[in-house]
Amino acid sequence: MKLKLKNVFLAYFLVSIAGLLYALVQLGQPCDCLPPLRAAAEQLRQKDLRISQLQADLRRPPPAPAQPPEPEALPTIYVITPTYARLVQKAELVRLSQTLSLVPRLHWLLVEDAESPTPLVSGLLAASGLLFTHLAVLTPKAQRLREGEPGWVRPRGVEQRNKALDWLRGKGGAVGGEKDSPPPGTQGVVYFADDDNTYSRELFKEMRWTRGVSVWPVGLVGGLRFEGPRVQDGRVVGFHTAWEPNRPFPLDMAGFAVSLPLLLAKPNAQFDATAPRGHLESSLLSHLVDPKDLEPRAANCTQVLVWHTRTEKPKMKQEEQLQRQGQGSDPAIEVRALLMRPCRP
Amino acid sequence: MKSALCNRFFILLPWILIVIIMLDVDPRRPAPQLTSRPYFSPHTVGCGGSRVPLRRSSPGRDAAEKRNESRPQLQPEPRLPTIYAITPTYSRPVQKAELTRLANTFRQVAQLHWILVEDRATRSELVSSFLARAGLPNTHLHVPTPRRYKRPWLPRATEQRNAGLAWLRQRHQHQSAQPGVLFFADDDNTYSLELFQEMRTTRKVSVWPVGLVGGRRYERPLVKNGKVVGWYTGWREDRPFAIDMAGFAVSLQVILSNPKAVFKRRGSQPGMQESDFLKQITTVDELEPKANNCTKVLVWHTRTEKVNLANEPKYHMDTVNIEV
């Protein structure tokens, strides 16, 4: 009747290992214990938030004089969007067009990275209900991404943005939509909206009355929760940024807008494709403004109204499998423009 | 004799220690309730109907006329069925951005009611203030996912969708049901406005293709003579309803007449959530194909990349706390 010590320790060992594995599985899981402590922490956080908001309200400059009653006097916002063919292109443009539809008096300049306009983009523009101009210019071969190169090695959309600037300056080139450039003396604002970012509709209210170059924070960029100007007494005194803070203008492409008269007064201002990494924005802004003359918006740059989001590349494993079996999906169903390869060459 | 006593003591000691540890741990971890009670917000925020954006344009411009023609303004009509969009959401760096995009879409859909269900024990300040400014009719719910179900391989947002269903049933429990349609709108997908026109006429359960899902460019029901006869899908074709969560809508009447239909947690295999739910309320024969007999992609299963916050300091160093 005596238990074998070996068996007892074997059972003990198994139970211990099971317990240890259970503990390891639980490691890192959020703890549900101490609810009163968490409630107290939540209350403190909410109080801090409230205090921050009140401080922001105090710092906010007095409201600008009421906007002119005439709708005609509302400056036009020209939104420049470079785009290129890829699987998620149509989805991105659908989302962006829905946001732009909420903004009054907006003109969309969509520039394709292609030799000629594609049916997908033309159809989407026609269905969007927006006032638009459709442009197309191919990125020179030397600037294209090679296979396997990460996206940040070369600046993207440079030729396309410059093409839009040329159109605004009356150099024509539209392949669809509104073909005539804005006449001299037009009041307007130019904004560069990439097709995968996220824009709050309040952002467009903030930028509409730009006199020179206005700036605001951008969320989720540069390895930070947000990147943007530091403001003191209504003036930009520095920049909250972690990546190459010594750039002349450490701003994201989505973090500024330029007034149209200023842009037309500087016909040589454009983006420099040879600018080093991260200096593309500076290559344009250096021609237009001094850092001290930037106009802070979004409650003195304390509100995040635009986010640098990126859409994952969809996995097409099953599609490739079908291709190998010779049963590709029905090409008549449009997801995006048909290309020999799903990614950009 | 003494040796035998020592032997027994050492044999029993580990077990005694294990029991002591377990007893010590248990009081600090109360067992989670099998069904968490969702919190219902006291009242609905926002006014009825969506706000059509104000548009101004120069008179006589062709582009402006074309713009007006292509987008006739939808006025809320008494008979227009309400679209209830249930959106599960959880706290993460891109949450506000995703909800901002989704709200921009919903603002242009007439007669839409947004049911936002947070995966939290309480309503978060971020979502509460966001909804207050969104200007959409909405209901803000919250229900936390039990910890044992928070695994990468287990289905997500099950409790949140069920909370939305429970709210919908409770709200219409004592009224004659107005016409309505229920749709599950995840916060990172992309929806064409045309999709909402298509689903509004749902009589029971309608289906349509979904782009960029299941490892293929699209997944869709196969339609013959106006009936669904099969599924074009790349993953688990044997499912009775091989469809994505964004690929179907259910009429409110069907939801109310099947009060026990919920998304299952126990025994549900990966990818079978949709099938398990639809099996309770309909059959393949009864499905209504939309989007031009399921040949048009109006919704895309897009996913936003995880954000790189490598340069964020460990402790909050800024003088103001900016919400992102």
Side-chain angles (χ1 to χ4, degrees):
Chain A
M1 282 300 296
K2 187 178 179 182
L3 287 172
K4 288 188 177 180
L5 200 62
K6 181 180 175 182
N7 288 344
V8 171
F9 275 106
L10 181 63
Y12 168 65
F13 175 79
L14 288 176
V15 172
S16 299
I17 289 296
L20 183 64
L21 288 177
Y22 177 78
L24 285 176
V25 169
Q26 294 304 308
L27 200 64
Q29 298 293 327
C31 182
D32 292 332
C33 52
L34 306 175
L37 196 66
R38 190 148 48 78
E42 185 75 17
Q43 282 182 17
L44 284 178
R45 196 187 64 84
Q46 286 183 12
K47 283 177 182 174
D48 287 342
L49 265 179
R50 184 64 182 156
I51 290 169
S52 302
Q53 284 166 13
L54 289 174
Q55 286 174 348
D57 287 347
L58 284 177
R59 267 192 285 271
R60 182 169 299 154
Q67 295 177 359
E70 293 185 42
E72 285 304 311
L74 207 63
T76 301
I77 297 178
Y78 294 90
V79 173
I80 295 174
T81 299
T83 185
Y84 64 98
R86 61 199 189 279
L87 279 172
V88 297
Q89 182 188 35
K90 187 175 184 184
E92 305 275 48
L93 293 177
V94 162
R95 264 197 292 220
L96 181 55
S97 70
Q98 287 164 1
T99 298
L100 300 183
S101 295
L102 301 169
V103 182
R105 206 147 175 92
L106 183 138
H107 189 133
W108 195 14
L109 277 62
L110 197 57
V111 196
E112 287 200 70
D113 186 345
E115 285 180 6
S116 55
T118 62
L120 185 147
V121 173
S122 301
L124 184 136
L125 283 168
S128 69
L130 291 160
L131 177 62
F132 71 90
T133 295
H134 189 182
L135 301 151
V137 60
L138 198 61
T139 299
K141 185 171 290 192
Q143 290 176 43
R144 280 183 223 158
L145 283 176
R146 271 62 171 192
E147 194 73 24
E149 263 183 344
W152 42 263
V153 164
R154 277 165 225 286
R156 245 195 306 217
V158 180
E159 292 299 316
Q160 289 74 37
R161 293 190 186 96
N162 285 338
K163 180 77 170 182
L165 295 179
D166 286 348
W167 181 85
L168 286 169
R169 290 169 173 141
K171 298 184 181 176
V175 294
E178 181 73 25
K179 291 188 162 56
D180 296 331
S181 300
T186 300
Q187 292 300 311
V189 181
V190 180
Y191 179 59
F192 300 95
D194 289 354
D195 59 3
D196 53 355
N197 288 343
T198 302
Y199 310 93
S200 168
R201 54 179 179 164
E202 282 88 25
L203 177 70
F204 298 93
K205 295 181 192 174
E206 295 286 332
M207 71 170 76
R208 193 178 290 274
W209 301 98
T210 301
R211 286 183 302 277
V213 174
S214 58
V215 290
W216 46 80
V218 176
L220 311 172
V221 70
L224 293 172
R225 291 192 312 133
F226 71 94
E227 211 180 58
R230 292 189 197 276
V231 178
Q232 198 171 330
D233 300 329
R235 291 190 157 277
V236 174
V237 296
F239 293 90
H240 174 78
T241 187
W243 189 80
E244 285 214 23
N246 296 319
R247 290 175 281 163
F249 295 89
L251 294 167
D252 187 72
M253 190 65 69
F256 67 91
V258 182
S259 99
L260 183 62
L262 175 63
L263 199 62
L264 300 184
K266 309 273 184 172
N268 294 323
Q270 63 175 22
F271 293 100
D272 180 10
T274 61
R277 177 185 162 199
H279 285 249
L280 193 65
E281 294 86 354
S282 298
S283 70
L284 175 77
L285 293 173
S286 301
H287 293 285
L288 299 173
V289 72
D290 278 349
K292 63 180 168 58
D293 294 328
L294 295 170
E295 304 162 26
R297 295 298 158 93
N300 275 336
C301 298
T302 61
Q303 274 179 359
V304 174
L305 301 171
V306 56
W307 296 265
H308 195 80
T309 46
R310 255 191 297 249
T311 304
E312 273 184 25
K313 189 182 284 191
K315 302 184 184 73
M316 289 283 118
K317 184 168 53 172
Q318 305 291 348
E319 194 75 25
E320 288 157 7
Q321 202 176 78
L322 282 190
Q323 294 289 348
R324 283 195 294 270
Q325 298 169 13
Q327 309 171 34
S329 55
D330 191 345
I333 295 186
E334 181 188 78
V335 172
R336 57 134 184 87
L338 293 174
L339 287 180
M340 286 306 297
R341 53 193 339 158
C343 301
R344 187 175 162 175
Chain B
M1 185 60 180
K2 183 182 289 185
S3 173
L5 281 179
C6 276
N7 228 14
R8 252 187 232 120
F9 174 71
F10 279 117
I11 288 169
L12 291 176
L13 178 62
W15 304 111
I16 292 169
L17 289 176
I18 289 172
V19 170
I20 290 170
I21 289 169
M22 290 185 68
L23 289 177
D24 189 44
V25 163
D26 276 347
R28 288 189 282 162
R29 286 181 174 178
Q33 299 174 12
L34 291 181
T35 53
S36 306
R37 278 181 57 85
Y39 174 82
F40 295 95
S41 70
H43 50 265
T44 301
V45 182
C47 51
S50 74
R51 297 194 181 159
V52 182
L54 177 63
R55 317 185 75 90
R56 302 166 211 176
S57 55
S58 307
R61 298 189 80 177
D62 292 339
E65 289 175 7
K66 181 197 257 185
R67 174 167 53 175
N68 291 332
E69 283 169 19
S70 61
R71 284 174 41 82
Q73 294 199 348
L74 288 175
Q75 296 299 334
E77 299 170 15
R79 285 302 172 186
L80 201 64
T82 302
I83 294 177
Y84 294 93
I86 293 184
T87 299
T89 185
Y90 64 99
S91 300
R92 62 200 190 280
V94 295
Q95 182 185 34
K96 191 178 182 186
E98 304 276 45
L99 295 178
T100 296
R101 269 199 284 223
L102 194 52
N104 289 342
T105 302
F106 286 166
R107 279 184 190 106
Q108 301 179 61
V109 180
Q111 202 72 13
L112 181 135
H113 189 107
W114 197 8
I115 303 169
L116 203 54
V117 194
E118 287 201 73
D119 186 348
R120 275 175 60 98
T122 57
R123 285 184 291 174
S124 69
E125 176 69 24
L126 186 149
V127 175
S128 297
S129 57
F130 174 82
L131 285 175
R133 292 192 309 270
L136 286 161
N138 70 80
T139 297
H140 187 185
L141 310 176
H142 62 91
V143 54
T145 302
R147 189 154 30 85
R148 65 183 179 280
Y149 296 135
K150 283 187 175 179
R151 302 280 183 266
W153 62 87
L154 289 181
R156 278 173 289 196
T158 304
E159 283 76 21
Q160 288 75 38
R161 293 195 181 98
N162 287 336
L165 288 171
W167 178 87
L168 210 51
R169 286 167 174 143
Q170 190 192 67
R171 191 209 205 202
H172 291 90
Q173 195 174 3
H174 302 301
Q175 349 170 346
S176 62
Q178 299 296 321
V181 179
L182 171 62
F183 176 60
F184 296 98
D186 288 354
D187 59 3
D188 53 356
N189 288 343
T190 302
Y191 310 94
S192 165
L193 297 179
E194 200 177 333
L195 177 71
F196 299 96
Q197 296 170 25
E198 292 281 331
M199 72 168 76
R200 206 183 286 274
T201 55
T202 301
R203 289 190 309 275
K204 288 191 172 178
V205 179
S206 59
V207 290
W208 50 79
V210 177
L212 309 173
V213 70
R216 287 195 176 180
R217 292 199 303 134
Y218 61 89
E219 269 183 1
R220 76 181 185 104
L222 299 171
V223 179
K224 199 168 183 180
N225 298 324
K227 289 276 184 182
V228 173
V229 296
W231 308 94
Y232 175 79
T233 183
W235 190 76
R236 296 205 64 171
E237 300 174 20
D238 53 316
R239 289 178 283 164
F241 297 87
I243 197 160
D244 187 70
M245 193 65 70
F248 68 91
V250 187
S251 106
L252 185 60
Q253 180 200 331
V254 168
I255 291 292
L256 298 178
S257 55
N258 293 273
K260 295 188 189 302
V262 292
F263 291 92
K264 290 202 293 186
R265 179 56 92 176
R266 300 180 175 280
S268 182
Q269 300 177 43
M272 292 294 286
Q273 288 255 300
E274 296 91 347
S275 283
D276 289 339
F277 179 71
L278 291 172
K279 224 181 338 184
Q280 306 172 62
I281 59 178
T282 187
T283 62
V284 175
D285 290 349
E286 287 178 318
L287 295 175
E288 305 155 30
K290 300 287 182 181
N292 196 24
N293 273 337
C294 297
T295 59
K296 204 171 181 182
V297 174
L298 301 171
V299 55
W300 296 265
H301 199 315
T302 45
R303 255 191 293 251
T304 303
E305 275 185 21
K306 243 174 205 178
V307 183
N308 169 29
L309 295 182
N311 290 331
E312 193 70 19
K314 269 188 178 174
Y315 308 105
H316 190 68
M317 293 185 338
D318 205 351
T319 53
V320 292
N321 192 12
I322 291 180
E323 181 188 81
V324 166

